[in-house]
Amino acid sequence: MEKLLDVKNMHVSFDTYGGEVQAVRGVNFSVNKGETLAIVGESGSGKSVTTKALMKLIPMPPGRIKEGEILFEGRDLAKLSEKEMQKIRGKDISMIFQDPMTSLNPTMKVGNQIAEGLIKHQKMSKSQAKARVKELLELVGIPDAENRMKQYPHQFSGGMRQRVVVAIALACNPKLLIADEPTTALDVTIQAQILELMKDIQKKTDAGIIFITHDLGVVANVADRVAVMYAGRIVEIGTVDDIFYNPKHPYTWGLLGSMPSLDAEDAELYAIPGSPPDLLNPPKGDAFAPRNEFAMQIDREQEPPLFKVSDSHYAATWLLHEHAPDIDPPEAIKKRMAAMASTGSGKGDRV
C-alpha cells in the first residue's frame, strides 16, 4: 500500500505559567491510502493534540511542535508556514470535529459554509459551488438538499448537523480525513449511519482516515489498525485483530477489560486504578507504572522501547523483554477477549 502520512518522533509541548506541558512525547505512526487508523486512549492521553498538530491547528504559542517530522506525501508539514498550511487544510487534509455546533457558524447558511472551501480551493464559481453543495448534501444523506442548503445550523438536528460537517470535510475530496470523535454526541442509530457514510466515501475516494475515539466498539467496526496512546506516547500499535485478540500492553488490557460486553459471562468491568500522570512533570521510566499491577523495578527506572510482537504489532512494555516473567492478562480481560472472538467483533465483521 502507498504511504500517505508518516509521522516521525513528534513532540508537542505547551508553555504554561507552571512550566512545559509535554502533551505528545515522541509519537511515530503512518497512514496508507485507503486505510483507517484508529487512535484510542483515555481523555488527556494526547489523541486530539496529536491530530491537531498534524494540521498545525494547535495555538502557537503557547503550543509548539518541539521536534519531529510530519511527512505528508513526502513533504514535511512541520516546516511549512501558516500561509502554506492554509493551502493544504480543507483541500488535501480535512478534519471532522466532535461537536458540530462549535464547527459551524450559526450566522451563515449551511450551503454557504460548504461552498467556502470549494470557491477557495477548487476555484469554482458561485453557481458551480452551489451545484456541488447540493450533491454533497445528497451524498451525506440530507433530504430536500435544495431547500436545506438555504437554512441555518440551528434548523438541523444533531445528526444532520454532523452530516453537514462531514460534507464540509469532504467537499474538496481530501486525501486524508481526520475524524476527532465525530459520533460521540450522537445516538447509536445516527452513529452507525455516519460511520457507514465515512467508510462508503473512503471506498470511493481511497482516502486515508485517522479516527480518534474512546469507544472500542467503534474501533472494531471501522479501523484497519489501532494505536493505543497513554501519557502522550503510543504504547501499542497493530491491526484490529492484534489489539483485540492478542493485546500485550497492560494498559490495553485495562481498556479492553473496561469495555462492556453482553456476551461476557461476568458482568463485572475491570477498572484501571489511579489516574493519568501530570505531563508537566512526566514520571521517570514507564508512565503507566504507577497504575500497573504488573510493574517491575525496571518500569520505574527506564522507559520501555517498542518491542516487536509481529511485523504488524508492537508494544512498549518491559513484559515483552526476553528476561521478563510470563504474565497473562487478568481474567476479566480474557473473558471479554473470548466474548469478542465468539461474536466476531474484530476486523472481519466491520461495516
Side-chain angles (χ1 to χ4, degrees):
M1 296 178 73
E2 186 178 347
K3 189 175 290 186
L4 184 65
L5 177 75
D6 195 11
V7 178
K8 298 180 178 180
N9 194 36
M10 184 173 73
H11 293 252
V12 181
S13 291
F14 292 87
D15 296 314
T16 70
Y17 291 114
E20 180 187 352
V21 177
Q22 300 174 47
V24 176
R25 306 182 299 140
V27 161
N28 296 275
F29 65 88
S30 62
V31 180
N32 297 321
K33 285 187 176 181
E35 178 187 45
T36 299
L37 172 72
I39 303 179
V40 302
E42 293 171 288
S43 296
S45 60
K47 306 185 300 297
S48 293
V49 172
T50 294
T51 49
K52 286 178 181 176
L54 301 182
M55 296 182 70
K56 300 184 80 169
L57 287 176
I58 56 174
M60 299 183 187
R64 56 194 166 96
I65 300 173
K66 186 177 178 182
E67 187 180 339
E69 295 178 308
I70 306 168
L71 301 176
F72 177 72
E73 295 188 316
R75 191 180 186 190
D76 189 358
L77 302 184
K79 295 180 179 178
L80 299 188
S81 65
E82 174 60 22
K83 189 172 183 179
E84 290 172 315
M85 282 303 300
Q86 286 176 3
K87 297 177 182 178
I88 292 174
R89 294 191 201 112
K91 180 176 181 288
D92 295 319
I93 307 176
S94 286
M95 193 163 190
I96 303 171
F97 294 95
Q98 182 173 348
D99 184 359
M101 277 309 281
T102 59
S103 304
L104 297 172
N105 187 333
T107 67
M108 283 180 66
K109 293 177 181 177
V110 161
N112 292 340
Q113 295 190 54
I114 301 173
E116 273 187 323
L118 296 169
I119 294 171
K120 178 178 176 60
H121 294 300
Q122 304 290 339
K123 309 301 181 185
M124 289 187 179
S125 66
K126 288 186 177 180
S127 60
Q128 289 174 323
K130 182 179 178 181
R132 177 59 177 155
V133 168
K134 183 174 180 292
E135 289 177 6
L136 285 164
L137 289 176
E138 290 171 347
L139 177 67
V140 298
I142 293 180
D144 194 18
E146 185 77 43
N147 291 317
R148 294 293 260 171
M149 60 194 290
K150 302 171 187 175
Q151 296 180 334
Y152 293 90
H154 73 270
Q155 294 175 282
F156 288 72
S157 67
M160 288 296 179
R161 282 195 293 266
Q162 192 63 301
R163 289 171 185 265
V164 171
V165 172
V166 173
I168 293 173
L170 297 173
C172 298
N173 297 316
K175 298 172 183 176
L176 179 65
L177 180 63
I178 300 172
D180 188 355
E181 303 205 33
T183 60
T184 298
L186 307 178
D187 63 60
V188 177
T189 304
I190 301 300
Q191 180 186 83
Q193 292 174 359
I194 295 292
L195 294 177
E196 181 70 34
L197 170 66
M198 289 177 61
K199 295 304 294 183
D200 184 54
I201 290 169
Q202 183 183 44
K203 289 176 184 175
K204 294 176 181 177
T205 63
D206 203 30
I209 295 177
I210 298 176
F211 198 99
I212 304 170
T213 184
H214 61 271
D215 188 338
L216 290 173
V218 169
V219 169
N221 286 325
V222 304
D224 297 297
R225 290 190 300 128
V226 183
V228 181
M229 283 196 76
Y230 183 78
R233 292 189 181 278
I234 291 177
V235 297
E236 187 162 7
I237 187 167
T239 66
V240 169
D241 288 349
D242 290 334
I243 301 301
F244 276 80
Y245 302 148
N246 189 33
K248 294 299 182 182
H249 198 285
Y251 181 60
T252 310
W253 294 349
L255 292 179
L256 291 171
S258 64
M259 185 173 72
S261 173
L262 295 175
D263 299 286
E265 295 178 4
D266 189 350
E268 182 180 354
L269 296 178
Y270 179 86
I272 304 174
S275 57
D278 179 6
L279 293 182
L280 190 61
N281 296 294
K284 184 180 179 182
D286 186 350
F288 188 61
R291 307 175 70 188
N292 182 7
E293 61 181 295
F294 309 108
M296 300 174 287
Q297 184 61 35
I298 192 172
D299 285 299
R300 295 174 175 83
E301 298 173 354
Q302 294 183 38
E303 185 177 17
L306 274 171
F307 288 94
K308 181 178 179 179
V309 181
S310 70
D311 289 341
S312 62
H313 190 189
Y314 295 81
T317 171
W318 286 115
L319 292 176
L320 291 175
H321 192 276
E322 58 181 338
H323 298 307
D326 189 11
I327 295 175
D328 290 330
E331 202 60 35
I333 296 164
K334 285 184 177 180
K335 289 179 180 178
R336 270 158 182 77
M337 288 166 59
M340 286 185 288
S342 66
T343 56
S345 298
K347 180 179 171 183
D349 195 43
R350 296 188 302 145
V351 292

